Amino acid sequence: MPTSSELPRTETPAKASERSLRQLLFVLGTLGVLAAGTVWWLVGSTRTLGPNPSGAHGSRGSKRVPPVVRFTDITAPAGINFRHENGARGQRLLPETMGGGVAFFDCDQDGDPDLLFVNSTYWPDDPRAQTQAKPTAALYRNDTVAGGPPRFTDITAGSGLDVGFYGMGAAVGDFDNDGRADVLLTGVGGSRLFRNLGGGKFEDVTRTAGIAGPPGKWSTAAAWVDLDNDGDLDLYVGNYVGWSPEIDLQVNNQLVGVGRAYGRPWNFPGEKPQVYRNEGGRPGVVKFSDVSAASGLQVTNPATGLPAAKTLAVAPIDLNNDGWMDLVVANDTVQNFVFTNRHDGTFTEVGEMAGVAFDAFGQARGAMGIDAARFRNDDAVGIAIGNFANEMNALYVTRRAEPGEQLLFTDEAVSEGIGPASQALLKFGLFFFDYDLDGRLDVLTANGHIEDEIEKVQPSTRYRQPAQLFWNAGGAPAFSSVDSAHGGPDLFQPVVGRGSAYADIDGDGDLDVVITSLVGPPLLLRNDQQLGHHWLRLKLVGTRSNRDAIGAWVHVKSGGRTQSRQVMPTKSYLSQSELPLTFGLGTNQTVDEVEIEWPSGRKQRLTQITPNQVLTVKEAE
């Protein structure tokens, strides 16, 4: 039974009525979607996918028509020639379906975002592993000249990141506060930590840092975050399932019309995450302690005693406004977790009580990508999760919670407009971002199936699938689907989409996008919006807080509206977006106030800020 401090606040009649209406809309909408066809984990819907499967975008006579903002494919012209390799050669092993993540980060401290693509490799018994150079991650330096077209240079060779292993995801953070962004790569067999030496060079410090972890783990989502508020970045590493080629072949998953098919997650046991406390936090000091067992983050099934997590994504965020970072973990085919920070190095799992663990019918979904944000420009927090085919996106929403209050979320994906339109697609990468700089956060998902022969079973379902873009118009529902006439055809070209991230690669103030593809080249998409909207970008530098200011909240007041953004590069699927925060101002030409809530607890206010600039703010001593 909850204590008095854990009971929810009394809602006003208007708020209660609004929440009840949203819940009713969700249930009615979900029932309508489920009535349209049978939910099946692998096969997918009978709906035919075209260039824009997201449906109508609203009446042309209304104000809900998305603006025309074209994304242009500049992958090849920008110098990106990376191609993902999954090592597949007919055995159909589960890791071959997962793809790789991508990270935008400033690897050389020159102020612009560089690009890191995570790669897998050949299996040990593959003859290519003996005769050919192993595929590796790829590091591209941003050499764009101001005012010119984006241009990247491949600096992988000799970088220290050119190591062949079966990689999955990337997490970037300055763990020793020396001003250089360090890199963690996750993958089959465990993770690897690389310290940034400067000049695009990295050193493998996995063993000396103490984060090698138990052997044989399949690590996936990872995040650098200051979990104990001591001014340095700790490390969360999620693991997927207990897997080996021998187990996979023994399971021998079969699909009618295909034969041996890629295995399903429930054929494999879950895995516990690892949590590492940073014991250094000073330039040149690399020392971590494994605090996983005592953290409360290793959940076991009470009936079996086995690990309960099958993690593919994590979203660190302060959910209850107590100044301490919490974690939302997206799990594949098992319940999602919500971990609230107890301020003593331990966490409490409240996902089921909070309403985030399952869908509205108490069923677990195949969760892939995740992001969390205040997308309504109020105190409400939305957690968006991209789910498997025939499972809608989730959008769990809660009002502002005070410290000690019980968190209560409602899945509002249907009532907010990002649910039914997403039903047919298999969603991986997902994030909030303001692509049209109107001051409201939009949603982008990267999509693609896992079975390359799925069309033999369902001719209407595609292996390669287009991305989906949802424009936030405000109001209810908030989101409208964007078609190729309003987003440009390049954004919606079918790919086997996996990781995704955003950054301003050319310094023009708007956010460009990268999407990775399984066994193929990525898509680097330049945002060519020409709406005349104003903007403000902020780069924070912590002093008492961690240097990257990860976890800081920034509130920008302009034109009677307050936007709140959190410094948190960890989002989407196995990926990291840039650190600087972008605030679209629409037609407003003034910024009334900027308030920064640093992870240290300090608050800092700035006034008389000129828009259309990148503002670097150092935490006041």
Side-chain angles (χ1 to χ4, degrees):
M1 177 178 292
T3 64
S4 59
S5 64
E6 293 173 326
L7 294 173
R9 288 185 302 178
T10 302
E11 293 181 293
T12 65
K15 287 291 184 181
S17 176
E18 178 184 357
R19 183 165 60 85
S20 299
L21 176 60
R22 290 183 185 276
Q23 291 172 329
L24 177 62
L25 287 172
F26 170 80
V27 172
L28 292 176
T30 303
L31 287 173
V33 171
L34 293 180
T38 302
V39 177
W40 185 20
W41 178 85
L42 182 61
V43 172
S45 170
T46 58
R47 180 178 179 180
T48 301
L49 302 184
N52 176 39
S54 55
H57 58 264
S59 168
R60 290 187 176 275
S62 73
K63 296 182 180 180
R64 297 189 60 81
V65 177
V68 175
V69 175
R70 297 189 180 277
F71 287 86
T72 303
D73 182 356
I74 60 167
T75 311
I80 304 297
N81 58 10
F82 170 77
R83 180 179 177 85
H84 178 263
E85 171 62 59
N86 71 346
R89 56 191 183 98
Q91 293 179 298
R92 296 187 174 273
L93 302 175
L94 181 58
E96 296 167 2
T97 68
M98 308 307 289
V102 61
F104 275 120
F105 75 112
D106 187 0
C107 80
D108 52 4
Q109 302 82 55
D110 66 351
D112 55 26
D114 308 298
L115 257 175
L116 174 65
F117 294 99
V118 184
N119 209 352
S120 301
T121 190
Y122 309 129
W123 296 113
D125 61 350
D126 189 333
R128 293 177 295 177
Q130 312 303 323
T131 61
Q132 300 181 24
K134 292 183 178 180
T136 73
L139 181 62
Y140 287 87
R141 184 182 64 220
N142 190 336
D143 288 332
T144 304
V145 177
R151 182 67 191 176
F152 289 82
T153 301
D154 189 339
I155 60 170
T156 308
S159 66
L161 297 176
D162 48 344
V163 178
F165 83 115
Y166 210 97
M168 291 284 293
V172 180
D174 181 5
F175 67 74
D176 57 353
N177 288 322
D178 66 352
R180 297 189 290 265
D182 309 298
V183 174
L184 179 91
L185 297 181
T186 64
V188 177
S191 305
R192 298 196 181 187
L193 179 60
F194 299 88
R195 179 169 172 259
N196 192 332
L197 303 176
K201 304 296 182 182
F202 293 81
E203 173 191 14
D204 190 333
V205 294
T206 308
R207 296 292 176 185
T208 56
I211 64 100
K217 295 293 184 181
W218 178 355
S219 55
T220 51
W224 292 102
V225 57
D226 188 356
L227 297 175
D228 51 8
N229 277 1
D230 65 350
D232 54 35
L233 294 176
D234 309 298
L235 179 62
Y236 169 91
V237 181
N239 294 306
Y240 188 37
V241 294
W243 177 91
S244 71
E246 293 76 19
I247 296 174
D248 203 327
L249 294 172
Q250 184 178 3
V251 168
N252 194 27
N253 186 62
Q254 297 284 317
L255 185 61
V256 176
V258 173
R260 176 167 168 78
Y262 286 109
R264 308 177 185 190
W266 55 69
N267 289 328
F268 305 91
E271 284 284 6
K272 297 176 181 179
Q274 269 77 52
V275 188
Y276 300 97
R277 184 176 61 215
N278 193 335
E279 306 290 5
R282 302 181 302 281
V285 179
V286 185
K287 184 179 180 182
F288 291 84
S289 295
D290 188 337
V291 296
S292 307
S295 68
L297 295 169
Q298 294 190 328
V299 180
T300 57
N301 185 314
T304 65
L306 297 175
K310 297 182 180 180
T311 299
L312 288 178
V314 59
I317 183 173
D318 179 7
L319 291 172
N320 50 12
N321 300 286
D322 62 359
W324 294 74
M325 296 299 293
D326 309 302
L327 298 173
V328 185
V329 177
N331 291 311
D332 189 7
T333 70
V334 295
Q335 68 188 75
N336 300 316
F337 297 144
V338 176
F339 293 102
T340 55
N341 197 319
R342 299 180 62 182
H343 310 174
D344 60 359
T346 66
F347 292 77
T348 300
E349 204 287 300
V350 298
E352 187 171 1
M353 185 181 296
V356 176
F358 305 104
D359 68 11
F361 300 98
Q363 299 296 314
R365 293 186 273 196
M368 309 294 180
I370 191 171
D371 197 8
R374 296 180 184 175
F375 70 97
R376 290 178 180 161
N377 288 333
D378 57 15
D379 288 333
V381 173
I383 300 170
I385 300 177
N387 293 310
F388 205 84
N390 262 325
E391 297 173 345
M392 293 183 292
N393 289 325
L395 181 59
Y396 299 104
V397 183
T398 185
R399 57 177 173 73
R400 179 184 175 95
E402 298 298 334
E405 277 193 290
Q406 178 179 314
L407 294 166
L408 294 173
F409 286 84
T410 303
D411 189 347
E412 301 185 7
V414 172
S415 60
E416 289 291 15
I418 69 168
S422 69
Q423 178 84 6
L425 300 176
L426 203 168
K427 288 75 66 180
F428 276 87
L430 175 152
F431 54 69
F432 290 101
F433 76 138
D434 184 2
Y435 78 94
D436 60 343
L437 300 178
D438 66 350
R440 294 184 293 267
L441 288 173
D442 315 294
V443 174
L444 179 74
T445 68
N447 313 308
H449 214 281
I450 66 166
E451 179 56 63
D452 57 357
E453 296 187 289
I454 189 62
E455 293 173 36
K456 291 183 178 180
V457 182
Q458 280 286 333
S460 62
T461 301
R462 299 291 182 262
Y463 179 50
R464 293 174 174 80
Q465 300 179 356
Q468 279 191 306
L469 179 61
F470 296 95
W471 174 62
N472 188 343
F479 296 98
S480 298
S481 298
V482 179
D483 60 15
S484 58
H486 295 83
D490 290 357
L491 175 61
F492 301 106
Q493 55 186 300
V495 296
V496 190
R498 294 296 186 260
S500 61
Y502 62 79
D504 180 8
I505 62 175
D506 49 6
D508 62 356
D510 56 36
L511 295 174
D512 311 293
V513 170
V514 65
I515 295 174
T516 68
S517 181
L518 181 69
V519 194
L523 284 178
L524 182 60
L525 299 155
R526 185 184 64 215
N527 186 332
D528 288 333
Q529 66 86 25
Q530 298 181 0
L531 302 174
H533 287 170
H534 301 285
W535 48 272
L536 177 67
R537 284 170 52 80
L538 288 105
K539 173 70 170 68
L540 305 188
V541 180
T543 53
R544 182 177 175 184
S545 305
N546 67 88
R547 186 179 177 90
D548 286 341
I550 287 176
W553 281 94
V554 179
H555 313 282
V556 171
K557 298 179 181 180
S558 175
R561 173 193 295 168
T562 299
Q563 301 177 53
S564 298
R565 305 277 189 274
Q566 182 188 31
V567 180
M568 182 48 64
T570 300
K571 57 186 75 249
S572 187
Y573 171 75
L574 307 176
S575 299
Q576 304 266 284
S577 291
E578 65 174 358
L579 276 173
L581 298 175
T582 296
F583 294 85
L585 304 177
T587 57
N588 296 321
Q589 300 185 44
T590 58
V591 177
D592 302 318
E593 182 183 85
V594 174
E595 181 184 65
I596 303 168
E597 296 180 47
W598 296 91
S600 65
R602 295 177 177 177
K603 292 186 178 182
Q604 198 167 341
R605 286 182 174 84
L606 308 172
T607 57
Q608 298 182 338
I609 304 300
T610 303
N612 304 326
Q613 66 163 319
V614 181
L615 183 64
T616 298
V617 182
K618 187 175 182 180
E619 184 178 12
E621 297 289 353

